[in-house]
């Protein structure tokens, strides 16, 4: 456990003193944990898990949770992209079949947003009661304010986009509105999730089963096939998206699958899409793979 705490602390770029200050303990206690001279209490394990955004099982080596953030790709924002795709589909249905037809799409929502599943029939019901549009959406926004903090960004986006759908706004403007809630890095991805989600997780991994290395020179990562998931996850947490994409594009299928298998579903979809569209050079692959190897060496020295 000491090596894992050390590596996770380094991934956060924290000193022992900084970690100790956050946990309200002495630096000596942190030092003892990392040298395996003592173990954190249950309360400290919870605090460490919250700080490092992992599970207690992961800290003690029982299970690993797939990495939810790599470079610009963050699971929370990618969730908004999927919900945005649901909203665009609702717009498409409403334009083709009328507003009431949107309710039939609720069971097929891909984003898993409980608020969107609530909002569509709720607003339709208020319209059936002949409530004015402005007042109906004011009621909906009141519900947004009651959501748990983590759900409020998606609630705000849903309320704003549904308002535009009910006013007959064009799909192009809806896409721009959705992108404005997600961020600049995701603008190009918006509206393309339907294409990427046509594959299940295992189907994406299977596509790399027989992948060959880019060239005889781009075999620098092949040794990483034999490292454990914990080390791969530490590498992933410290990589930017551009480096990861280039490095994996040049690697064998076995290496690619080892890395992708450690990503959360939505991050996996996006990295897969980036790899399909990558058109760089062998020099870029080699530079990226050398960065990954250097990072692995740093991690190995701490374990």
């Amino acid at each position: 456990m000491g090596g894992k705490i050390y590596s996770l602390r380094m991934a956060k770029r924290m000193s022992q003193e900084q970690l100790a200050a956050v946990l309200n303990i002495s630096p000596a206690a942190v030092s003892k944990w990392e040298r395996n001279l003592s173990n954190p209490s249950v309360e400290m394990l919870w605090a460490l898990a919250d700080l490092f955004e992992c599970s207690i099982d992961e800290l003690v080596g029982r299970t690993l949770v797939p990495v939810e953030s790599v470079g610009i790709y963050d699971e929370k924002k990618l969730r908004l992209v999927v919900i945005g795709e649901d909203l665009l589909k609702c717009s498409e249905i409403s334009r083709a079949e009328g507003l009431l037809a949107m309710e039939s799409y609720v069971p097929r929502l891909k984003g898993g947003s409980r608020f969107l599943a609530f909002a569509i029939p709720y607003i339709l019901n208020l319209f059936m009661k002949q409530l004015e549009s402005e007042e109906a959406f004011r009621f909906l926004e009141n519900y947004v304010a009651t959501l748990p903090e983590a759900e409020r960004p998606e609630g705000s986006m849903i309320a704003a986009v549904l308002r535009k759908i009910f006013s007959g706004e064009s799909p192009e403007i809806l896409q721009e509105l959705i992108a404005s809630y997600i961020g600049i890095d995701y603008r190009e991805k918006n509206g393309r999730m339907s294409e990427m989600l046509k594959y299940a997780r295992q189907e994406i991994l299977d596509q790399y089963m027989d992948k060959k290395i880019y060239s005889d020179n781009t075999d620098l990562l092949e040794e990483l096939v034999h490292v454990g998931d914990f080390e791969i996850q530490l590498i992933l947490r410290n990589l930017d998206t551009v480096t990861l994409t280039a490095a994996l594009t040049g690697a064998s299928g076995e290496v690619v699958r080892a890395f992708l298998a450690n990503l959360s579903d939505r991050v996996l979809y996006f990295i897969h899409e980036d790899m399909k569209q990558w058109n760089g050079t062998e020099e870029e692959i080699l530079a990226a793979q050398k960065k990954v190897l250097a990072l692995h060496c740093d991690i190995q020295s701490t374990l």
Side-chain angles (χ1 to χ4, degrees):
M1 194 192 309
K4 291 185 178 180
I5 293 173
Y6 178 94
S7 299
L8 290 167
R9 174 173 65 78
M10 294 300 289
K12 284 278 190 183
R13 293 178 171 81
M14 299 177 73
S15 66
Q16 287 186 344
E17 290 74 16
Q18 289 171 323
L19 178 57
V22 169
L23 299 175
N24 198 28
I25 58 175
S26 69
V30 175
S31 176
K32 286 183 178 180
W33 293 345
E34 293 183 354
R35 289 181 291 142
N36 290 312
L37 298 179
S38 66
N39 290 322
S41 66
V42 173
E43 292 78 8
M44 284 294 109
L45 284 174
W46 278 116
L48 288 165
D50 288 342
L51 176 64
F52 294 137
E53 299 178 38
C54 65
S55 68
I56 288 181
D57 278 350
E58 184 175 359
L59 274 175
V60 301
R62 291 182 60 191
T63 61
L64 289 173
V65 177
V67 175
E68 295 189 342
S69 180
V70 175
I72 65 168
Y73 295 141
D74 178 86
E75 179 75 15
K76 293 176 183 177
K77 287 201 171 185
L78 294 181
R79 173 179 167 81
L80 292 183
V81 179
V82 185
I83 295 170
E85 180 69 20
D86 281 336
L87 287 163
L88 290 173
K89 184 64 178 179
C90 287
S91 171
E92 179 186 321
I93 291 171
S94 70
R95 293 170 73 85
E97 305 174 39
L99 290 170
L100 290 175
M102 284 196 299
E103 192 164 6
S104 66
Y105 184 65
V106 170
R108 291 177 285 158
L109 295 172
K110 296 175 183 176
S113 171
R114 63 171 185 149
F115 187 71
L116 181 54
F118 160 78
I120 292 173
Y122 176 74
I123 287 294
L124 287 171
N125 181 52
L126 292 183
F127 271 56
M128 294 289 286
K129 294 177 179 177
Q130 299 185 329
L131 193 66
E132 290 293 330
S133 174
E134 192 62 33
E135 192 168 10
F137 279 100
R138 190 159 56 246
F139 286 0
L140 185 63
E141 286 159 3
N142 289 342
Y143 279 104
V144 173
T146 69
L147 290 172
E149 187 175 350
E151 295 180 45
R152 281 178 212 158
E154 71 183 67
S156 296
M157 181 181 76
I158 288 166
V161 176
L162 282 179
R163 182 191 289 267
K164 292 294 186 183
I165 290 174
F166 274 75
S167 69
E169 193 60 80
S170 69
E172 292 75 21
I173 297 300
L174 293 178
Q175 286 198 11
E176 292 295 342
L177 177 57
I178 290 166
S180 73
Y181 276 91
I182 301 170
I184 295 172
D185 293 326
Y186 300 86
R187 186 175 182 278
E188 293 181 355
K189 307 293 182 183
N190 197 39
R192 293 166 51 204
M193 280 302 292
S194 58
E195 175 66 20
M196 296 191 298
L197 289 175
K198 68 182 181 181
Y199 298 114
R201 178 184 182 87
Q202 192 56 48
E203 288 177 311
I204 290 178
L205 294 175
D206 288 347
Q207 289 184 40
Y208 295 98
M209 186 78 73
D210 300 316
K211 181 184 179 302
K212 307 298 182 186
I213 59 175
Y214 184 87
S215 73
D216 291 340
N217 297 321
T218 62
D219 62 349
L220 304 185
L221 302 186
E222 300 310 300
E223 64 185 69
L224 299 187
V225 168
H226 306 294
V227 306
D229 285 342
F230 180 72
E231 288 182 56
I232 288 179
Q233 292 200 3
L234 288 176
I235 293 172
L236 287 168
R237 286 181 177 132
N238 288 275
L239 275 182
D240 63 271
T241 310
V242 174
T243 299
L244 176 62
T245 301
L248 293 185
T249 299
S252 70
E254 195 172 6
V255 172
V256 173
R257 284 162 56 87
F259 274 78
L260 296 187
N262 278 286
L263 296 173
S264 69
D265 286 349
R266 293 190 178 106
V267 176
L268 167 63
Y269 296 141
F270 275 79
I271 296 296
H272 167 63
E273 182 73 4
D274 285 348
M275 289 179 65
K276 287 198 313 184
Q277 296 184 4
W278 192 84
N279 59 357
T281 64
E282 181 176 303
E283 288 72 23
E284 289 173 308
I285 290 175
L286 289 171
Q289 290 189 345
K290 287 174 182 176
K291 285 184 182 179
V292 175
L293 279 183
L295 183 56
H296 176 243
C297 288
D298 289 343
I299 289 170
Q300 281 245 299
S301 68
T302 69
L303 296 178

